[in-house]
């Protein structure tokens, strides 16, 4: 879908359908005369996500006006606007509407709203149906235009940012939704390569031989149960003139293209969802596309360790001891705790070989974070509260919900091991998200680091008014904001 920004009087904007927001208790002047009855009957109440589609004759250049309820005027915020316009565009799908005008005015004016609207409008119509045979005659919305009173430089920049993030989010979703029989680790590398070549990022893939040479035993142990060769994907953005600081941000994304659990095999019920175990990696690929386009002043490298976790004849066993790239030996007590194993080799590579000074990783790491936080917020863990504060600010502006989880040395106690330097799970079952984070922390050292456990938030099992079922593209926007806000 083509997305534009235009200025002018909404009533004069030519399109098939014009979207206007209405607040609770509000009554728009341009609708009041012709549609007073609808207000009086309560059909237009302004309640959040209430949609009323009107066919108008006169008063508007558009033939249809969609009145979108936005709730109480004083509660309107960018996150809400992102949802409302996403839902509005979804509402207009399959109704023969080819062009849409979306009006931002009143309480929903300003750059943050334009950015959020652009993201919502692009995310709304996306469907996880790339592999469905198209229905003949199906008509998609071809173009959407955000209509504001006046275009300033600030609004234009916010619009571009929202558009770039929205497009990158949909790229992430396209990659994430691809089934595991075609989205193998090698295919993941090809998706990343295509982005890197199109955007002028430097690109490198470490194959199994190279990783063996380097000694990435933790990642390779996970990969050995599968016929699919593993990869470590590296995508690098360098700011013009080297940037304004010597900092180097590393974004690491878990990309297990399918997680059966390995020999510690998962129950078959719901196992199909483990095709989404590469959502962290897909978000890093999308973030690198957006970063290449928005050009922050800090160097950013995306690192994506990608494997398939299978119980093949050569699969690793519970009690195997592997040697990580960092040199620590790890007893693998549960082969289903594989994400942390591939991540620690990526973390060491990012620090030692790529020179990253700050690290953020995103991983669908534990079922336990879903127990703790449900499907609403991702859990975040850190070894550096100052870096976390910057991260949280970026996530807030990105409208991606994050919740700070505890991570102190007491959690590491449970990983002490008799046979190796560390074991990959703790003895007990409680607090599993914290145990996983504590395992990663043992490999991070002093490098400022934030770990995002997005097992409950990377995809949705049921469609919402503003989003189709499937991957949602988090925490891409947080990654991008963190890089753009760098000082
Ligand atoms: N990929 C899973 C975590 C997961 C669970 C993601 C549910 C999304 C939804 C991860 O590799 C895993 O299997 N974790 C285990 C760890 C356990 C063996 C310590 C888990 O959470 O059960
Ligand atoms: Mn697992
Ligand atoms: Zn996993």
């Amino acid at each position: 879908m083509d997305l534009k920004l235009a200025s002018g009087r909404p009533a004069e904007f030519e399109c098939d359908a014009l979207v206007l927001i209405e607040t609770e208790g509000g009554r728009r002047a341009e609708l009041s005369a012709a549609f007073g009855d609808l207000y009086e009957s309560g059909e237009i109440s302004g309640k959040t996500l209430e949609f009323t589609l009107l066919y108008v004759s006169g008063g508007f250049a558009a033939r249809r006006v969609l009145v979108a309820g936005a709730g109480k005027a004083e509660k309107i915020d960018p996150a809400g606007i992102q949802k409302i316009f996403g839902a509005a565009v979804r509402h207009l799908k399959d109704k023969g509407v080819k062009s849409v005008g979306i009006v931002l005015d009143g309480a929903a004016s300003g750059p943050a709203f334009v950015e959020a609207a652009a993201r919502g409008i692009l995310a709304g119509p996306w469907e996880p149906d790339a592999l469905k045979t198209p229905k003949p005659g199906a008509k998609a919305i071809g173009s959407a235009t955000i209509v504001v009173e006046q275009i300033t430089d600030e609004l234009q920049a916010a619009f571009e940012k929202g558009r770039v993030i929205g497009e990158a989010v949909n790229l992430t979703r396209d990659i994430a939704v691809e089934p595991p029989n075609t989205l193998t680790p090698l295919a993941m590398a090809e998706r990343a390569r295509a982005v890197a070549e199109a955007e002028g990022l430097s690109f490198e893939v470490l194959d199994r031989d190279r990783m063996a040479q380097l000694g990435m035993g933790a990642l390779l142990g996970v990969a050995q149960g599968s016929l699919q060769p593993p990869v470590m994907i590296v995508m690098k953005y360098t700011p013009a003139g080297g940037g304004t600081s010597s900092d180097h941000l590393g974004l690491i994304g878990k990309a297990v293209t399918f997680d059966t659990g390995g020999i510690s095999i998962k129950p078959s019920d719901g196992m199909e969802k483990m095709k989404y175990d590469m959502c962290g990696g897909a978000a890093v690929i999308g973030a690198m596309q957006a970063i290449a386009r928005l050009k922050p002043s800090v160097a950013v490298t995306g690192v994506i360790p990608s494997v398939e976790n299978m119980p093949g004849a050569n699969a690793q066993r519970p009690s195997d001891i592997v040697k990580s790239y960092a040199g620590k030996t790890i007893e693998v007590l549960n082969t289903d705790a594989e994400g942390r194993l591939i991540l620690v080799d990526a973390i060491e590579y990012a620090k030692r070989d790529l020179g990253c000074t700050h690290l953020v990783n995103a991983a669908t790491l534990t079922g336990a974070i879903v127990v703790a936080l449900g499907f609403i917020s991702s859990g975040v863990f850190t070894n550096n509260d100052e870096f976390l504060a910057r991260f949280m600010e970026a996530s807030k502006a990105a409208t991606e919900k994050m919740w700070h989880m505890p991570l102190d040395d007491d959690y590491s106690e449970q990983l002490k091991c008799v046979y190796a330097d560390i074991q990959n799970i703790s003895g007990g079952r409680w607090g599993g998200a914290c145990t996983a984070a504590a395992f990663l922390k043992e490999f991070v050292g002093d490098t400022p680091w934030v770990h995002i456990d997005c097992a409950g938030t990377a995809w949705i099992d049921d469609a919402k008014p503003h989003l189709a079922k499937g991957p949602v593209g988090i925490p891409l926007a947080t990654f991008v904001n963190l890089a753009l806000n760098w000082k």
Side-chain angles (χ1 to χ4, degrees):
M1 191 176 67
D2 193 28
L3 182 65
K4 289 181 284 237
L5 179 67
S7 62
R9 281 177 24 88
E12 287 162 15
F13 188 74
E14 281 182 36
C15 57
D16 292 341
L18 188 73
V19 181
L20 294 173
I21 53 169
E22 184 58 277
T23 55
E24 255 179 71
R27 191 154 165 165
R28 296 189 78 105
E30 62 271 55
L31 298 175
S32 197
F35 298 100
D37 289 350
L38 288 177
Y39 280 95
E40 267 127 48
S41 70
E43 261 169 273
I44 302 179
S45 72
K47 287 217 166 68
T48 306
L49 293 175
E50 168 195 85
F51 293 106
T52 317
L53 185 57
L54 310 171
Y55 278 72
V56 290
S57 43
F60 291 92
R63 178 73 179 96
R64 283 183 262 184
V65 170
L66 180 67
V67 186
K72 296 197 169 64
E74 65 275 16
K75 281 201 164 169
I76 291 181
D77 63 2
I81 283 296
Q82 192 174 326
K83 282 190 188 160
I84 288 158
F85 286 139
V89 180
R90 277 184 81 70
H91 191 87
L92 291 170
K93 273 177 63 147
D94 311 317
K95 288 193 170 67
V97 171
K98 290 209 198 73
S99 58
V100 191
I102 291 120
V103 179
L104 273 181
D105 60 4
S109 310
F113 286 98
V114 171
E115 180 185 333
R119 286 179 56 190
I121 294 162
L122 286 169
W126 183 92
E127 291 291 340
D129 61 357
L131 298 175
K132 257 187 156 168
T133 308
K135 290 203 190 79
K139 294 179 227 102
I141 298 173
S143 76
T145 307
I146 296 174
V147 184
V148 295
E149 209 176 296
Q150 206 193 340
I151 300 179
T152 59
D153 288 351
E154 217 186 357
L155 283 192
Q156 187 68 42
F159 169 76
E160 297 298 343
K161 184 183 168 204
R163 189 168 55 82
V164 165
I165 292 176
E167 284 169 359
V169 160
N170 285 349
L171 167 76
T172 290
R173 295 161 95 192
D174 285 337
I175 296 170
V177 81
E178 194 176 332
N181 56 327
T182 60
L183 191 74
T184 59
L186 285 179
M188 191 95 195
E190 287 318 305
R191 304 294 175 275
R193 183 195 304 276
V195 170
E197 280 175 4
E199 308 298 334
L201 298 169
S202 55
F203 182 77
E204 180 192 16
V205 180
L206 310 193
D207 63 9
R208 196 197 306 258
D209 288 347
R210 179 70 186 131
M211 290 189 278
Q213 212 175 41
L214 290 169
M216 296 185 170
L219 181 149
L220 292 172
V222 177
Q224 76 189 32
S226 169
L227 287 177
Q228 299 300 334
V231 291
M232 180 87 76
I233 306 164
V234 181
M235 308 169 79
K236 183 166 184 199
Y237 161 80
T238 310
T244 50
S245 82
S246 55
D247 291 345
H248 184 168
L249 174 62
L251 303 176
I252 304 179
K254 170 180 174 183
V256 176
T257 59
F258 195 79
D259 181 13
T260 64
I263 294 299
S264 314
I265 199 159
K266 289 181 181 293
S268 53
D269 221 27
M271 201 203 271
E272 72 282 356
K273 289 175 189 160
M274 287 300 112
K275 75 167 183 172
Y276 288 136
D277 214 17
M278 31 57 65
C279 280
V284 170
I285 296 176
M288 292 311 295
Q289 172 176 294
I291 284 166
R293 293 180 182 179
L294 294 169
K295 307 194 187 317
S297 64
V298 66
V300 186
T301 299
V303 185
I304 303 149
S306 186
V307 303
E308 187 181 51
N309 189 22
M310 294 285 275
N314 192 44
Q316 69 181 346
R317 297 137 290 247
S319 78
D320 276 8
I321 294 177
V322 294
K323 187 166 182 187
S324 65
Y325 185 37
K328 277 194 212 301
T329 54
I330 305 166
E331 186 183 20
V332 179
L333 285 174
N334 189 316
T335 65
D336 198 11
E338 86 298 339
R340 61 198 78 179
L341 295 171
I342 70 169
L343 285 170
V344 296
D345 280 352
I347 285 167
E348 179 66 12
Y349 190 69
K351 286 199 308 180
R352 198 200 308 177
D353 299 79
L354 302 170
C356 294
T357 59
H358 295 71
L359 294 175
V360 182
N361 68 255
T364 47
L365 204 61
T366 65
I369 200 70
V370 194
V371 175
L373 300 177
F375 303 115
I376 309 294
S377 297
S378 306
V380 297
F381 302 83
T382 191
N383 61 354
N384 185 308
D385 287 335
E386 189 268 329
F387 186 43
L388 181 76
R390 288 161 58 193
F391 172 89
M392 291 302 258
E393 206 181 298
S395 75
K396 198 154 184 256
T399 71
E400 294 175 335
K401 289 184 186 157
M402 310 274 176
W403 192 257
H404 184 189
M405 301 284 292
L407 182 56
D408 54 64
D409 292 342
D410 287 352
Y411 288 101
S412 305
E413 285 294 309
Q414 317 168 41
L415 295 168
K416 286 203 169 135
C417 178
V418 174
Y419 305 110
D421 295 332
I422 192 168
Q423 57 192 42
N424 80 327
I425 55 165
S426 72
R429 56 191 280 248
W430 304 113
C434 303
T435 315
F439 182 86
L440 299 178
K441 191 177 101 172
E442 291 305 304
F443 292 80
V444 170
D446 295 333
T447 306
W449 161 76
V450 174
H451 155 53
I452 309 166
D453 193 338
C454 52
T457 48
W459 76 89
I460 49 178
D461 288 324
D462 298 299
K464 293 186 179 174
H466 65 291
L467 284 178
K469 168 180 176 150
V472 299
I474 60 107
L476 184 158
T478 299
F479 284 158
V480 172
N481 275 347
L482 184 65
L484 286 175
N485 296 349
W486 209 272
K487 282 185 203 65

